Amino acid sequence: MRAPARELFRDADFPASDSSLFSSFSTPLAQFREDITWRRPQEICATPRLFADNPQEGQVKQGLLGDCWLLCACAALQKSRRLLDQVIPPGQPSWLDPTYRGSFTCRVWRFGRWVEVTIDDRLPCLAGRLCFSRCQREDVFWLPLLEKVYAKVYGSYEHLWAGQVADALVDLTGGLAERWSLKDLARTGGRQDRPGGSEHRTCRQLLSLKDRCLISCSVLSPRAGARELGEFHAFIVSDLRELRGRTGQAILLLRIQNPWGRRCWQGPWREGGEGWSRVDPADEAALLSQLQEGEFWVEEEEFLQEFDEVTVGFPITEAGHLQSLYSEKELCHTQELPGAWVKGQSAGGCRNNSGFPSNPKFWLRVSEPSEVYVTVLQRPRVRTANWAGRARAPLRDNRASWTPASLLGKDYQAVGLHIWKVEKRRVSLPRVLSTPPVAGTVCHAYDREVHLRCELGPGYYLAVPSTFLKDVPGQFLLRVFSSGRVSLSAIKPATASPASGEALPAGEWETVQLRGSWRIGQTAGGSRNFASYPTNPCFPLSVPEGAGPRCIRITLRQHCRDSECHPIGFHVFQASPSCPGG
């Protein structure tokens, strides 16, 4: 008697339907709506495998989906078995195992914690073949399965169209990634100075990083004559080699992998190109023999001219600690705390706003001289997915509105971060914040995460993350990575007066609001330095009798535009009941 067929898992939260493919039909993917079918790996090929025996066979290839940014980050997992096992836990039954049930579980780092995401293995196909990402060998499925996990996290495959390599690297490693402007490198000769310390960034610096972390490069807007590189397209820097030319000069070559999987560059270092005449024929033969499908060589000068940006993921040791991109120090001390900008309370805007001191504030205590990275990671304003009970915007046809640029940074505010050195924790915060910070972001950026690198001595520091605009709500995670011992704590904000209908803080509270004005020649007496000070408005304040202390908060607020505000203050005097107004 034949055994009954096993019932395979079907993911109800991310079904094999249009709702998982599309969010708004706003990308070119919508034209394939009627042609996409869903198949399990054993319906696509005879002997599916999760991983390849040869790393080259597992090389990433991009399909119809514009998610080169994600695929470049996925390639980082092939550099470390520890990272790969962290994202795709080993030991899961696959297609040839008797316990296979049609599901896979991966882990993705989201806002401070690793989250397990389970999917079924039904994958989108066109004409029986995978239509999105795939590996060099199409019977290897770790990449399309991980892409589906990421699509579930984001809410749909279409939501993966356009993004930042740096964001995906953080999601797949829990670490950090930096973006370097190649145009700045070309203009400054490889040196960029930022508050908090000079940072020397050159292509040759990548030589020491190539085996320890992922390096990606991207083209945002190709120059005329270089359209074959694509627009808003990310590549993988798969190798760097420094050669000695025939005349003795040093030549730095970079091997670039295009996720499209085709050799698309006809520069001087193509096969048969004039660039190879400058090096020994043995070097030419060796380097050209290494090229896989979709790879090509470029020289440093050509690289700086044709590409716009480099993204570098921080190396991660086998112990799970980050390493500095600059000193190679192990950043083995980490701290993190959540925070929020609340409209009307702690969303004070940038330093140009008078409300800046109301922003969330954190104490950072450094116990020994340290290299410190402090980051602000935003939570997206629009949550695109909730796989425990997902809500998604209704489907609509909006193809004409799609552009890659419109999708980048669409969920984030422009944020910045500034750090002040203080002598002790009990300080006048307004006075401290009016002085120049010891480190700060160059500008507020529409990035999911911004960070500062600082060389800090022992002592207390005040960190203030801010949005550029005032009264913009949002949530964030403040992260600290340091080579030395550090501790991080939040400064508790003063409790705002509760609005009508809101719960009062513990204890008995009474709220009184009074209005007043300063009138020229009548009640605008000025500060205590002037004899006219007593003519200022006065308000009686009585404290009820009883045992124990009383908690009282007095706030003076002027009603004017920020640009027209005056320096103001008030004083409280104890008076006897016989005084006028007592």
Side-chain angles (χ1 to χ4, degrees):
M1 178 180 294
R2 178 182 297 177
R6 291 170 293 175
E7 185 174 349
L8 299 180
F9 173 63
R10 291 172 173 263
D11 187 359
D13 290 329
F14 200 67
S17 67
D18 280 358
S19 65
S20 297
L21 290 170
F22 305 103
S23 58
S24 61
F25 297 99
S26 60
T27 70
L29 183 62
Q31 64 186 296
F32 301 102
R33 179 182 182 183
E34 303 299 329
D35 303 316
I36 293 177
T37 60
W38 297 77
R39 299 191 179 192
R40 298 186 188 269
Q42 66 271 33
E43 299 169 336
I44 299 172
C45 64
T47 56
R49 299 177 290 164
L50 192 58
F51 299 109
D53 298 325
N54 182 343
Q56 293 299 338
E57 294 178 346
Q59 184 172 295
V60 303
K61 291 186 66 175
Q62 186 179 352
L64 296 176
L65 193 60
D67 62 348
C68 53
W69 59 283
L70 170 61
L71 304 188
C72 287
C74 289
L77 302 181
Q78 296 179 300
K79 287 181 172 286
S80 168
R81 189 70 201 189
R82 190 191 69 81
L83 290 179
L84 185 61
D85 289 346
Q86 184 172 248
V87 172
I88 306 177
Q92 300 186 63
S94 58
W95 302 278
L96 299 180
D97 298 322
T99 56
Y100 161 72
R101 288 291 181 269
S103 66
F104 285 88
T105 297
C106 295
R107 288 192 287 251
V108 180
W109 190 91
R110 300 293 287 172
F111 207 69
R113 64 190 182 98
W114 287 96
V115 178
E116 287 196 346
V117 185
T118 298
I119 56 166
D120 64 38
D121 60 359
R122 294 177 292 176
L123 299 169
C125 294
L126 275 176
R129 297 181 62 192
L130 292 170
C131 60
F132 300 147
S133 75
R134 54 189 176 273
C135 294
Q136 191 75 27
R137 279 285 301 263
E138 294 191 30
D139 59 350
V140 176
F141 285 91
W142 72 271
L143 182 63
L145 289 171
L146 182 54
E147 181 185 52
K148 183 175 182 179
V149 164
Y150 216 76
K152 183 175 180 179
V153 170
Y154 268 64
S156 70
Y157 278 95
E158 194 173 51
H159 268 130
L160 302 185
W161 201 295
Q164 295 288 356
V165 177
D167 294 346
L169 275 172
V170 172
D171 289 344
L172 296 178
T173 66
L176 289 177
E178 277 196 5
R179 292 162 56 196
W180 302 352
S181 168
L182 292 179
K183 298 301 178 269
D184 288 343
L185 286 183
R187 185 170 57 251
T188 62
R191 175 170 178 163
Q192 292 184 343
D193 295 326
R194 300 172 61 190
S198 296
E199 298 176 8
H200 298 270
R201 298 170 169 176
T202 67
C203 287
R204 277 176 168 75
Q205 183 187 351
L206 301 178
L207 278 169
S208 64
L209 298 172
K210 66 174 184 176
D211 295 325
R212 298 187 291 130
C213 59
L214 178 107
I215 304 169
S216 172
C217 58
S218 58
V219 174
L220 304 181
S221 181
R223 65 175 180 86
R227 305 298 300 181
E228 62 264 38
L229 290 179
E231 187 175 30
F232 295 101
H233 189 44
F235 302 76
I236 300 163
V237 180
S238 52
D239 196 7
L240 293 94
R241 293 295 176 92
E242 191 165 32
L243 305 179
R244 188 63 59 186
R246 290 185 171 182
T247 59
Q249 79 278 26
I251 300 175
L252 180 65
L253 296 181
L254 300 93
R255 192 170 87 204
I256 309 298
Q257 177 190 338
N258 187 349
W260 286 341
R262 59 179 185 265
R263 298 186 186 182
C264 61
W265 184 240
Q266 295 299 314
W269 295 89
R270 68 188 184 279
E271 189 169 359
E274 63 272 20
W276 297 107
S277 63
R278 297 163 52 193
V279 301
D280 188 275
D283 289 330
E284 175 187 3
L287 296 188
L288 288 177
S289 68
Q290 295 173 10
L291 292 179
Q292 302 292 321
E293 186 178 3
E295 291 186 328
F296 54 94
W297 290 99
V298 296
E299 191 179 357
E300 179 181 15
E301 183 179 350
E302 182 185 11
F303 180 70
L304 292 172
Q305 179 182 359
E306 303 296 346
F307 295 88
D308 295 295
E309 197 173 74
V310 159
T311 299
V312 185
F314 278 54
I316 300 179
T317 68
E318 287 304 309
H321 299 140
L322 298 188
Q323 274 187 299
S324 167
L325 294 178
Y326 303 94
S327 67
E328 299 189 15
K329 289 180 181 177
E330 195 167 339
L331 307 174
C332 52
H333 299 273
T334 62
Q335 297 275 305
E336 62 182 42
L337 283 174
W341 296 288
V342 180
K343 184 177 180 180
Q345 297 181 32
S346 60
C350 68
R351 295 179 68 201
N352 294 333
N353 292 303
S354 61
F356 179 78
S358 68
N359 279 302
K361 293 171 284 292
F362 298 83
W363 289 122
L364 173 65
R365 183 180 183 181
V366 180
S367 300
E368 54 193 317
S370 303
E371 182 179 3
V372 181
Y373 290 80
V374 186
T375 85
V376 181
L377 174 68
Q378 296 188 69
R379 185 188 289 273
R381 288 179 293 160
V382 179
R383 187 172 179 82
T384 54
N386 177 1
W387 52 87
R390 192 175 44 150
R392 191 190 286 114
L395 299 179
R396 58 190 177 89
D397 195 337
N398 190 26
R399 302 179 194 184
S401 66
W402 175 83
T403 61
S406 69
L407 298 175
L408 294 173
K410 61 184 182 298
D411 292 333
Y412 304 109
Q413 284 295 325
V415 299
L417 174 66
H418 294 84
I419 297 175
W420 283 263
K421 176 77 164 65
V422 295
E423 295 304 318
K424 54 184 179 180
R425 285 183 61 163
R426 294 189 177 277
V427 296
S428 169
L429 293 179
R431 186 179 306 161
V432 169
L433 297 179
S434 66
T435 62
V438 297
T441 50
V442 176
C443 62
H444 284 66
Y446 286 95
D447 292 332
R448 190 178 77 168
E449 187 167 29
V450 299
H451 70 261
L452 283 175
R453 173 185 177 264
C454 315
E455 295 283 351
L456 299 180
Y460 282 104
Y461 296 84
L462 179 68
V464 183
S466 62
T467 56
F468 180 74
L469 298 175
K470 186 179 180 181
D471 281 334
V472 173
Q475 295 177 295
F476 63 88
L477 185 70
L478 190 75
R479 301 201 288 163
V480 177
F481 302 86
S482 175
S483 62
R485 290 173 293 129
V486 293
S487 61
L488 183 68
S489 60
I491 298 177
K492 300 298 182 183
T495 306
S497 299
S500 176
E502 293 185 5
L504 291 169
E508 296 181 2
W509 288 77
E510 180 179 357
T511 301
V512 177
Q513 293 185 351
L514 299 173
R515 293 181 178 271
S517 62
W518 295 285
R519 298 183 183 277
I520 297 177
Q522 300 179 35
T523 58
S527 70
R528 295 179 68 190
N529 296 334
F530 296 96
S532 57
Y533 175 76
T535 65
N536 278 301
C538 299
F539 298 94
L541 172 66
S542 60
V543 180
E545 296 180 356
R550 296 291 183 268
C551 183
I552 299 172
R553 177 177 292 109
I554 305 173
T555 301
L556 175 64
R557 180 182 180 186
Q558 58 181 312
H559 296 276
C560 62
R561 288 181 293 202
D562 286 347
S563 60
E564 299 174 352
C565 286
H566 299 285
I568 60 174
F570 66 89
H571 294 83
V572 178
F573 300 90
Q574 187 172 8
S576 66
S578 59
C579 288

PDB file of all heavy atoms in Angstrom, residues 160-187:
ATOM      1  N   LEU A 160      10.622  45.402  -2.253  1.00  0.00           N
ATOM      2  CA  LEU A 160      12.076  45.260  -2.301  1.00  0.00           C
ATOM      3  C   LEU A 160      12.684  46.017  -3.477  1.00  0.00           C
ATOM      4  O   LEU A 160      13.906  46.007  -3.640  1.00  0.00           O
ATOM      5  CB  LEU A 160      12.464  43.778  -2.402  1.00  0.00           C
ATOM      6  CG  LEU A 160      11.973  42.856  -1.291  1.00  0.00           C
ATOM      7  CD1 LEU A 160      12.557  41.459  -1.481  1.00  0.00           C
ATOM      8  CD2 LEU A 160      12.323  43.408   0.083  1.00  0.00           C
ATOM      9  N   TRP A 161      11.846  46.655  -4.280  1.00  0.00           N
ATOM     10  CA  TRP A 161      12.358  47.353  -5.447  1.00  0.00           C
ATOM     11  C   TRP A 161      12.986  48.672  -5.001  1.00  0.00           C
ATOM     12  O   TRP A 161      12.296  49.598  -4.636  1.00  0.00           O
ATOM     13  CB  TRP A 161      11.234  47.640  -6.448  1.00  0.00           C
ATOM     14  CG  TRP A 161      11.747  47.883  -7.835  1.00  0.00           C
ATOM     15  CD1 TRP A 161      12.534  48.904  -8.254  1.00  0.00           C
ATOM     16  CD2 TRP A 161      11.515  47.061  -8.980  1.00  0.00           C
ATOM     17  NE1 TRP A 161      12.815  48.788  -9.585  1.00  0.00           N
ATOM     18  CE2 TRP A 161      12.192  47.665 -10.069  1.00  0.00           C
ATOM     19  CE3 TRP A 161      10.795  45.894  -9.205  1.00  0.00           C
ATOM     20  CZ2 TRP A 161      12.175  47.133 -11.355  1.00  0.00           C
ATOM     21  CZ3 TRP A 161      10.775  45.365 -10.487  1.00  0.00           C
ATOM     22  CH2 TRP A 161      11.457  45.969 -11.545  1.00  0.00           C
ATOM     23  N   ALA A 162      14.312  48.729  -5.016  1.00  0.00           N
ATOM     24  CA  ALA A 162      15.117  49.889  -4.620  1.00  0.00           C
ATOM     25  C   ALA A 162      15.324  49.906  -3.113  1.00  0.00           C
ATOM     26  O   ALA A 162      14.390  49.715  -2.333  1.00  0.00           O
ATOM     27  CB  ALA A 162      14.502  51.207  -5.085  1.00  0.00           C
ATOM     28  N   GLY A 163      16.569  50.102  -2.722  1.00  0.00           N
ATOM     29  CA  GLY A 163      16.929  50.153  -1.312  1.00  0.00           C
ATOM     30  C   GLY A 163      18.419  50.402  -1.164  1.00  0.00           C
ATOM     31  O   GLY A 163      19.125  50.652  -2.150  1.00  0.00           O
ATOM     32  N   GLN A 164      18.892  50.352   0.071  1.00  0.00           N
ATOM     33  CA  GLN A 164      20.295  50.608   0.371  1.00  0.00           C
ATOM     34  C   GLN A 164      20.989  49.309   0.774  1.00  0.00           C
ATOM     35  O   GLN A 164      20.486  48.571   1.620  1.00  0.00           O
ATOM     36  CB  GLN A 164      20.430  51.623   1.502  1.00  0.00           C
ATOM     37  CG  GLN A 164      19.903  53.011   1.165  1.00  0.00           C
ATOM     38  CD  GLN A 164      20.795  53.744   0.180  1.00  0.00           C
ATOM     39  OE1 GLN A 164      21.855  53.255  -0.210  1.00  0.00           O
ATOM     40  NE2 GLN A 164      20.363  54.923  -0.240  1.00  0.00           N
ATOM     41  N   VAL A 165      22.143  49.055   0.171  1.00  0.00           N
ATOM     42  CA  VAL A 165      22.936  47.884   0.543  1.00  0.00           C
ATOM     43  C   VAL A 165      23.245  47.907   2.039  1.00  0.00           C
ATOM     44  O   VAL A 165      23.211  46.878   2.719  1.00  0.00           O
ATOM     45  CB  VAL A 165      24.240  47.827  -0.276  1.00  0.00           C
ATOM     46  CG1 VAL A 165      25.102  46.639   0.163  1.00  0.00           C
ATOM     47  CG2 VAL A 165      23.938  47.740  -1.763  1.00  0.00           C
ATOM     48  N   ALA A 166      23.535  49.099   2.574  1.00  0.00           N
ATOM     49  CA  ALA A 166      23.889  49.224   3.988  1.00  0.00           C
ATOM     50  C   ALA A 166      22.768  48.716   4.886  1.00  0.00           C
ATOM     51  O   ALA A 166      23.019  48.040   5.893  1.00  0.00           O
ATOM     52  CB  ALA A 166      24.217  50.682   4.320  1.00  0.00           C
ATOM     53  N   ASP A 167      21.513  49.019   4.548  1.00  0.00           N
ATOM     54  CA  ASP A 167      20.392  48.575   5.378  1.00  0.00           C
ATOM     55  C   ASP A 167      20.284  47.051   5.383  1.00  0.00           C
ATOM     56  O   ASP A 167      20.061  46.430   6.423  1.00  0.00           O
ATOM     57  CB  ASP A 167      19.087  49.180   4.863  1.00  0.00           C
ATOM     58  CG  ASP A 167      19.039  50.696   5.024  1.00  0.00           C
ATOM     59  OD1 ASP A 167      19.891  51.233   5.766  1.00  0.00           O
ATOM     60  OD2 ASP A 167      18.167  51.329   4.412  1.00  0.00           O
ATOM     61  N   ALA A 168      20.423  46.445   4.215  1.00  0.00           N
ATOM     62  CA  ALA A 168      20.324  44.987   4.141  1.00  0.00           C
ATOM     63  C   ALA A 168      21.490  44.324   4.870  1.00  0.00           C
ATOM     64  O   ALA A 168      21.318  43.281   5.513  1.00  0.00           O
ATOM     65  CB  ALA A 168      20.284  44.532   2.682  1.00  0.00           C
ATOM     66  N   LEU A 169      22.693  44.914   4.795  1.00  0.00           N
ATOM     67  CA  LEU A 169      23.834  44.358   5.522  1.00  0.00           C
ATOM     68  C   LEU A 169      23.575  44.350   7.024  1.00  0.00           C
ATOM     69  O   LEU A 169      23.906  43.389   7.718  1.00  0.00           O
ATOM     70  CB  LEU A 169      25.096  45.176   5.212  1.00  0.00           C
ATOM     71  CG  LEU A 169      25.871  44.803   3.954  1.00  0.00           C
ATOM     72  CD1 LEU A 169      26.978  45.829   3.696  1.00  0.00           C
ATOM     73  CD2 LEU A 169      26.455  43.413   4.054  1.00  0.00           C
ATOM     74  N   VAL A 170      22.997  45.429   7.533  1.00  0.00           N
ATOM     75  CA  VAL A 170      22.683  45.480   8.969  1.00  0.00           C
ATOM     76  C   VAL A 170      21.639  44.424   9.319  1.00  0.00           C
ATOM     77  O   VAL A 170      21.738  43.733  10.331  1.00  0.00           O
ATOM     78  CB  VAL A 170      22.199  46.889   9.353  1.00  0.00           C
ATOM     79  CG1 VAL A 170      21.679  46.921  10.791  1.00  0.00           C
ATOM     80  CG2 VAL A 170      23.334  47.904   9.200  1.00  0.00           C
ATOM     81  N   ASP A 171      20.627  44.266   8.472  1.00  0.00           N
ATOM     82  CA  ASP A 171      19.564  43.287   8.744  1.00  0.00           C
ATOM     83  C   ASP A 171      20.078  41.849   8.725  1.00  0.00           C
ATOM     84  O   ASP A 171      19.514  40.973   9.388  1.00  0.00           O
ATOM     85  CB  ASP A 171      18.448  43.423   7.709  1.00  0.00           C
ATOM     86  CG  ASP A 171      17.640  44.697   7.896  1.00  0.00           C
ATOM     87  OD1 ASP A 171      17.740  45.311   8.972  1.00  0.00           O
ATOM     88  OD2 ASP A 171      16.926  45.084   6.948  1.00  0.00           O
ATOM     89  N   LEU A 172      21.121  41.587   7.957  1.00  0.00           N
ATOM     90  CA  LEU A 172      21.622  40.218   7.829  1.00  0.00           C
ATOM     91  C   LEU A 172      22.800  39.917   8.746  1.00  0.00           C
ATOM     92  O   LEU A 172      23.198  38.755   8.874  1.00  0.00           O
ATOM     93  CB  LEU A 172      22.033  39.939   6.380  1.00  0.00           C
ATOM     94  CG  LEU A 172      20.893  39.987   5.350  1.00  0.00           C
ATOM     95  CD1 LEU A 172      21.430  39.754   3.953  1.00  0.00           C
ATOM     96  CD2 LEU A 172      19.803  38.979   5.677  1.00  0.00           C
ATOM     97  N   THR A 173      23.351  40.943   9.393  1.00  0.00           N
ATOM     98  CA  THR A 173      24.497  40.719  10.282  1.00  0.00           C
ATOM     99  C   THR A 173      24.298  41.290  11.681  1.00  0.00           C
ATOM    100  O   THR A 173      24.984  40.883  12.614  1.00  0.00           O
ATOM    101  CB  THR A 173      25.779  41.350   9.696  1.00  0.00           C
ATOM    102  OG1 THR A 173      25.643  42.781   9.672  1.00  0.00           O
ATOM    103  CG2 THR A 173      26.042  40.838   8.288  1.00  0.00           C
ATOM    104  N   GLY A 174      23.392  42.248  11.835  1.00  0.00           N
ATOM    105  CA  GLY A 174      23.242  42.928  13.121  1.00  0.00           C
ATOM    106  C   GLY A 174      24.359  43.908  13.390  1.00  0.00           C
ATOM    107  O   GLY A 174      24.472  44.440  14.491  1.00  0.00           O
ATOM    108  N   GLY A 175      25.211  44.188  12.372  1.00  0.00           N
ATOM    109  CA  GLY A 175      26.379  45.030  12.571  1.00  0.00           C
ATOM    110  C   GLY A 175      26.188  46.435  12.050  1.00  0.00           C
ATOM    111  O   GLY A 175      25.131  47.047  12.210  1.00  0.00           O
ATOM    112  N   LEU A 176      27.237  46.964  11.418  1.00  0.00           N
ATOM    113  CA  LEU A 176      27.235  48.318  10.877  1.00  0.00           C
ATOM    114  C   LEU A 176      27.739  48.291   9.438  1.00  0.00           C
ATOM    115  O   LEU A 176      28.433  47.359   9.029  1.00  0.00           O
ATOM    116  CB  LEU A 176      28.154  49.242  11.692  1.00  0.00           C
ATOM    117  CG  LEU A 176      27.722  49.643  13.096  1.00  0.00           C
ATOM    118  CD1 LEU A 176      28.797  50.495  13.737  1.00  0.00           C
ATOM    119  CD2 LEU A 176      26.412  50.397  13.056  1.00  0.00           C
ATOM    120  N   ALA A 177      27.390  49.313   8.696  1.00  0.00           N
ATOM    121  CA  ALA A 177      27.899  49.486   7.336  1.00  0.00           C
ATOM    122  C   ALA A 177      28.088  50.970   7.076  1.00  0.00           C
ATOM    123  O   ALA A 177      27.303  51.792   7.561  1.00  0.00           O
ATOM    124  CB  ALA A 177      26.940  48.878   6.311  1.00  0.00           C
ATOM    125  N   GLU A 178      29.132  51.298   6.336  1.00  0.00           N
ATOM    126  CA  GLU A 178      29.409  52.691   5.976  1.00  0.00           C
ATOM    127  C   GLU A 178      29.268  52.873   4.481  1.00  0.00           C
ATOM    128  O   GLU A 178      29.582  51.984   3.694  1.00  0.00           O
ATOM    129  CB  GLU A 178      30.839  53.094   6.384  1.00  0.00           C
ATOM    130  CG  GLU A 178      30.973  53.515   7.814  1.00  0.00           C
ATOM    131  CD  GLU A 178      32.282  54.254   8.071  1.00  0.00           C
ATOM    132  OE1 GLU A 178      33.044  54.514   7.106  1.00  0.00           O
ATOM    133  OE2 GLU A 178      32.547  54.568   9.242  1.00  0.00           O
ATOM    134  N   ARG A 179      28.804  54.078   4.101  1.00  0.00           N
ATOM    135  CA  ARG A 179      28.734  54.457   2.691  1.00  0.00           C
ATOM    136  C   ARG A 179      29.744  55.565   2.432  1.00  0.00           C
ATOM    137  O   ARG A 179      29.761  56.562   3.161  1.00  0.00           O
ATOM    138  CB  ARG A 179      27.320  54.921   2.342  1.00  0.00           C
ATOM    139  CG  ARG A 179      26.288  53.805   2.382  1.00  0.00           C
ATOM    140  CD  ARG A 179      24.875  54.349   2.467  1.00  0.00           C
ATOM    141  NE  ARG A 179      24.567  55.263   1.377  1.00  0.00           N
ATOM    142  CZ  ARG A 179      23.523  56.092   1.392  1.00  0.00           C
ATOM    143  NH1 ARG A 179      22.733  56.133   2.440  1.00  0.00           N
ATOM    144  NH2 ARG A 179      23.299  56.889   0.369  1.00  0.00           N
ATOM    145  N   TRP A 180      30.576  55.370   1.430  1.00  0.00           N
ATOM    146  CA  TRP A 180      31.598  56.351   1.073  1.00  0.00           C
ATOM    147  C   TRP A 180      31.267  56.928  -0.298  1.00  0.00           C
ATOM    148  O   TRP A 180      31.012  56.190  -1.251  1.00  0.00           O
ATOM    149  CB  TRP A 180      32.993  55.723   0.996  1.00  0.00           C
ATOM    150  CG  TRP A 180      33.460  55.052   2.245  1.00  0.00           C
ATOM    151  CD1 TRP A 180      32.863  55.067   3.473  1.00  0.00           C
ATOM    152  CD2 TRP A 180      34.640  54.259   2.380  1.00  0.00           C
ATOM    153  NE1 TRP A 180      33.588  54.339   4.370  1.00  0.00           N
ATOM    154  CE2 TRP A 180      34.692  53.824   3.736  1.00  0.00           C
ATOM    155  CE3 TRP A 180      35.660  53.877   1.524  1.00  0.00           C
ATOM    156  CZ2 TRP A 180      35.720  53.022   4.230  1.00  0.00           C
ATOM    157  CZ3 TRP A 180      36.680  53.092   2.004  1.00  0.00           C
ATOM    158  CH2 TRP A 180      36.713  52.670   3.344  1.00  0.00           C
ATOM    159  N   SER A 181      31.307  58.233  -0.409  1.00  0.00           N
ATOM    160  CA  SER A 181      31.116  58.885  -1.701  1.00  0.00           C
ATOM    161  C   SER A 181      32.413  58.825  -2.489  1.00  0.00           C
ATOM    162  O   SER A 181      33.438  59.360  -2.066  1.00  0.00           O
ATOM    163  CB  SER A 181      30.681  60.338  -1.501  1.00  0.00           C
ATOM    164  OG  SER A 181      30.764  61.043  -2.721  1.00  0.00           O
ATOM    165  N   LEU A 182      32.389  58.153  -3.628  1.00  0.00           N
ATOM    166  CA  LEU A 182      33.595  58.055  -4.456  1.00  0.00           C
ATOM    167  C   LEU A 182      33.931  59.387  -5.115  1.00  0.00           C
ATOM    168  O   LEU A 182      35.094  59.666  -5.419  1.00  0.00           O
ATOM    169  CB  LEU A 182      33.414  56.979  -5.512  1.00  0.00           C
ATOM    170  CG  LEU A 182      33.335  55.551  -4.976  1.00  0.00           C
ATOM    171  CD1 LEU A 182      33.123  54.556  -6.112  1.00  0.00           C
ATOM    172  CD2 LEU A 182      34.585  55.187  -4.194  1.00  0.00           C
ATOM    173  N   LYS A 183      32.940  60.218  -5.341  1.00  0.00           N
ATOM    174  CA  LYS A 183      33.221  61.536  -5.916  1.00  0.00           C
ATOM    175  C   LYS A 183      33.996  62.378  -4.910  1.00  0.00           C
ATOM    176  O   LYS A 183      34.875  63.161  -5.282  1.00  0.00           O
ATOM    177  CB  LYS A 183      31.917  62.225  -6.320  1.00  0.00           C
ATOM    178  CG  LYS A 183      31.139  61.451  -7.397  1.00  0.00           C
ATOM    179  CD  LYS A 183      31.972  61.283  -8.661  1.00  0.00           C
ATOM    180  CE  LYS A 183      31.239  60.487  -9.722  1.00  0.00           C
ATOM    181  NZ  LYS A 183      31.500  59.059  -9.655  1.00  0.00           N
ATOM    182  N   ASP A 184      33.709  62.232  -3.620  1.00  0.00           N
ATOM    183  CA  ASP A 184      34.477  62.939  -2.594  1.00  0.00           C
ATOM    184  C   ASP A 184      35.904  62.416  -2.552  1.00  0.00           C
ATOM    185  O   ASP A 184      36.858  63.177  -2.394  1.00  0.00           O
ATOM    186  CB  ASP A 184      33.822  62.778  -1.217  1.00  0.00           C
ATOM    187  CG  ASP A 184      32.545  63.583  -1.099  1.00  0.00           C
ATOM    188  OD1 ASP A 184      32.336  64.484  -1.931  1.00  0.00           O
ATOM    189  OD2 ASP A 184      31.756  63.307  -0.173  1.00  0.00           O
ATOM    190  N   LEU A 185      36.064  61.093  -2.690  1.00  0.00           N
ATOM    191  CA  LEU A 185      37.408  60.516  -2.674  1.00  0.00           C
ATOM    192  C   LEU A 185      38.230  61.036  -3.845  1.00  0.00           C
ATOM    193  O   LEU A 185      39.403  61.378  -3.706  1.00  0.00           O
ATOM    194  CB  LEU A 185      37.330  58.992  -2.747  1.00  0.00           C
ATOM    195  CG  LEU A 185      36.877  58.238  -1.499  1.00  0.00           C
ATOM    196  CD1 LEU A 185      36.942  56.749  -1.768  1.00  0.00           C
ATOM    197  CD2 LEU A 185      37.740  58.584  -0.315  1.00  0.00           C
ATOM    198  N   ALA A 186      37.607  61.084  -5.022  1.00  0.00           N
ATOM    199  CA  ALA A 186      38.329  61.556  -6.201  1.00  0.00           C
ATOM    200  C   ALA A 186      38.693  63.033  -6.067  1.00  0.00           C
ATOM    201  O   ALA A 186      39.766  63.464  -6.478  1.00  0.00           O
ATOM    202  CB  ALA A 186      37.462  61.334  -7.447  1.00  0.00           C
ATOM    203  N   ARG A 187      37.805  63.823  -5.432  1.00  0.00           N
ATOM    204  CA  ARG A 187      38.031  65.259  -5.324  1.00  0.00           C
ATOM    205  C   ARG A 187      39.082  65.596  -4.271  1.00  0.00           C
ATOM    206  O   ARG A 187      39.853  66.544  -4.406  1.00  0.00           O
ATOM    207  CB  ARG A 187      36.707  65.955  -4.997  1.00  0.00           C
ATOM    208  CG  ARG A 187      36.795  67.475  -4.969  1.00  0.00           C
ATOM    209  CD  ARG A 187      35.413  68.113  -4.883  1.00  0.00           C
ATOM    210  NE  ARG A 187      34.670  67.655  -3.726  1.00  0.00           N
ATOM    211  CZ  ARG A 187      33.613  66.846  -3.783  1.00  0.00           C
ATOM    212  NH1 ARG A 187      33.198  66.405  -4.938  1.00  0.00           N
ATOM    213  NH2 ARG A 187      32.972  66.487  -2.693  1.00  0.00           N
TER     214      ARG A 187
END
